[in-house]
Amino acid sequence: MNNRRRHGEIRLLEKQIRPEVIERCLQFVDIVIHQIIYQEKIYPSNLFVPRQMYRSLVYQCIDKDISSYITLCVASLRDLFTQQLSDMISINIIRNCQISIILRRYLIELHTIHDPCLRAIYDNTKQLINQLDQIFAQCIQTIKQIQPLDSSNFTKGWTFQLRSCPDGKNNKGISISEVLRTKPIYKEFILMNQQSNLLSNGKQTKISSIKSLHSERLKLQFMCEDDKYEQDKFQQWNQFVTKDQQQSDSDTDELEESSEEQEINKPINLDSDSLVDRYHSTQKIKRDNLDVRQYSSDEDDRPPSPYSPDPIWQDQDDEDQEDL
């Protein structure tokens, strides 16, 4: 007892160390997802905070909705990984459109190593955990060296997927359908089984990074698979869209400038003969009207003067006297 305390070692049985290894793997997957979506710039950088893990600086998302979804991804892996129904995860970088296109896959394959005897005793528990942390740190450093995909003209997203074990059953006869029956939400994460071709386009895909690591309790393999065909296709499309937009903006500016110049420099066409004829015609009408009014004997035809006094109405007797 004193010897164990002096060295800080804890003795664990095989059945105790297995869950510890699994929890360490799940914690690693959680950190990897946060780091990948940060460096791929899926979300604004102000949603992430730095933290120290595995003696390295990593970034963790603080948005509640995003963090909750990542927790759901890791929870799906916990149930399937514990039952040895899944051995690989895929963090896909996609182009957001009507049909999501996978441009890149971050693939992590995890194989835990078990002692068949559940009562086997381990005195080097701390050493086993340190070995796990070391290979996790190396994998994180490999991921951090990968350049993010350019997304200047489109919006990137991400998805999480799992690869199920062969035939969907483990060595104990437990099938993946039994897990999905109790937790159907995990169906969206199922990738494919080992008998399918994981690399979607064969010759058109490129493994840009690969890392194989192992310890006494775990074998880990990391790969970054780029779909060069889709990336090149969207790169050409982005260039076309950018060029077309620039040309459209240039044409619009030229059209506006041309319209303004035309308004400013638009010539004024005057028909001088028509104006002269219309002037003479107007003057003639005015003279004719004046002559008619000047020699008219009918007082009622004269227009009333705006300055004339009000008419004075005389009595009928006065009118009779004038007649006499």
Side-chain angles (χ1 to χ4, degrees):
M1 179 69 66
N2 293 335
N3 187 43
R4 183 173 72 249
R5 289 179 179 177
R6 184 173 61 251
H7 292 88
E9 294 289 348
I10 301 176
R11 300 180 67 183
L12 294 178
L13 298 175
E14 172 66 24
K15 65 179 181 180
Q16 295 174 315
I17 201 170
R18 285 184 186 180
E20 179 67 22
V21 172
I22 290 176
E23 288 302 318
R24 295 276 175 167
C25 292
L26 295 174
Q27 182 186 46
F28 165 70
V29 171
D30 182 87
I31 293 171
V32 164
I33 295 176
H34 282 270
Q35 178 63 29
I36 288 175
I37 64 175
Y38 165 76
Q39 68 182 42
E40 285 286 353
K41 302 178 181 178
I42 305 296
Y43 306 110
S45 59
N46 59 356
L47 296 180
F48 295 83
V49 294
R51 58 180 296 199
Q52 284 286 337
M53 285 299 298
Y54 311 122
R55 297 181 180 180
S56 178
L57 185 67
V58 295
Y59 285 84
Q60 183 177 12
C61 184
I62 57 176
D63 183 84
K64 292 183 179 180
D65 293 335
I66 300 173
S67 298
S68 298
Y69 183 75
I70 295 175
T71 300
L72 177 63
C73 296
V74 177
S76 68
L77 178 61
R78 173 183 282 106
D79 290 345
L80 298 174
F81 191 49
T82 303
Q83 298 292 339
Q84 295 183 331
L85 292 171
S86 177
D87 61 355
M88 176 182 281
I89 67 167
S90 176
I91 302 158
N92 307 318
I93 308 302
I94 63 173
R95 181 187 188 276
N96 284 332
C97 52
Q98 293 182 348
I99 300 178
S100 298
I101 305 297
I102 297 178
L103 303 177
R104 171 178 285 175
R105 286 187 176 100
Y106 290 87
L107 303 168
I108 300 177
E109 191 170 354
L110 300 165
H111 294 279
T112 57
I113 302 172
H114 297 164
D115 191 313
C117 180
L118 293 177
R119 295 186 178 181
I121 300 175
Y122 291 88
D123 294 327
N124 60 339
T125 305
K126 187 175 181 180
Q127 179 182 351
L128 296 178
I129 299 303
N130 287 337
Q131 290 177 0
L132 291 175
D133 290 346
Q134 289 175 7
I135 64 175
F136 293 156
Q138 294 180 50
C139 187
I140 289 289
Q141 290 300 324
T142 302
I143 293 174
K144 292 173 69 174
Q145 294 174 2
I146 299 175
Q147 294 296 320
L149 293 175
D150 180 26
S151 60
S152 55
N153 294 313
F154 64 89
T155 304
K156 289 190 296 186
W158 70 284
T159 59
F160 178 81
Q161 291 180 313
L162 300 165
R163 185 177 72 177
S164 62
C165 63
D167 301 326
K169 293 183 178 181
N170 60 13
N171 54 8
K172 296 181 180 179
I174 301 176
S175 67
I176 194 170
S177 60
E178 295 180 23
V179 178
L180 299 180
R181 191 179 300 113
T182 58
K183 297 181 179 178
I185 194 172
Y186 293 166
K187 289 182 180 180
E188 68 173 284
F189 300 133
I190 301 302
L191 178 63
M192 56 185 65
N193 57 39
Q194 292 179 340
Q195 297 175 350
S196 301
N197 182 17
L198 188 61
L199 304 181
S200 56
N201 284 322
K203 296 180 181 180
Q204 295 173 337
T205 58
K206 177 182 178 182
I207 304 298
S208 60
S209 180
I210 185 169
K211 192 80 171 178
S212 295
L213 304 163
H214 65 87
S215 69
E216 189 175 341
R217 300 292 307 193
L218 179 69
K219 290 182 179 179
L220 184 151
Q221 181 166 319
F222 167 77
M223 292 182 293
C224 181
E225 172 202 321
D226 286 319
D227 193 325
K228 303 303 294 183
Y229 171 77
E230 294 293 346
Q231 291 182 19
D232 292 343
K233 183 171 68 174
F234 279 113
Q235 184 67 24
Q236 295 173 2
W237 170 252
N238 291 333
Q239 292 176 356
F240 170 78
V241 170
T242 303
K243 183 178 180 181
D244 184 68
Q245 183 64 36
Q246 292 175 349
Q247 183 63 36
S248 177
D249 294 341
S250 176
D251 293 343
T252 302
D253 294 340
E254 291 179 359
L255 181 61
E256 291 178 354
E257 292 177 0
S258 176
S259 299
E260 292 176 358
E261 291 178 359
Q262 289 179 2
E263 290 295 330
I264 295 174
N265 300 324
K266 185 178 180 179
I268 301 175
N269 296 323
L270 296 177
D271 189 351
S272 57
D273 294 336
S274 176
L275 289 175
V276 170
D277 292 341
R278 191 165 61 182
Y279 171 77
H280 288 301
S281 175
T282 303
Q283 293 299 319
K284 183 177 183 300
I285 293 172
K286 288 182 178 180
R287 286 196 302 271
D288 293 342
N289 290 337
L290 181 61
D291 293 340
V292 169
R293 289 174 183 175
Q294 183 175 1
Y295 298 103
S296 175
S297 60
D298 193 353
E299 295 290 340
D300 295 334
D301 291 338
R302 297 181 184 179
S305 173
Y307 304 105
S308 63
D310 294 335
I312 300 175
W313 296 97
Q314 298 178 352
D315 294 336
Q316 185 67 26
D317 296 339
D318 295 339
E319 291 179 0
D320 294 340
Q321 292 177 3
E322 289 179 0
D323 293 337
L324 292 174

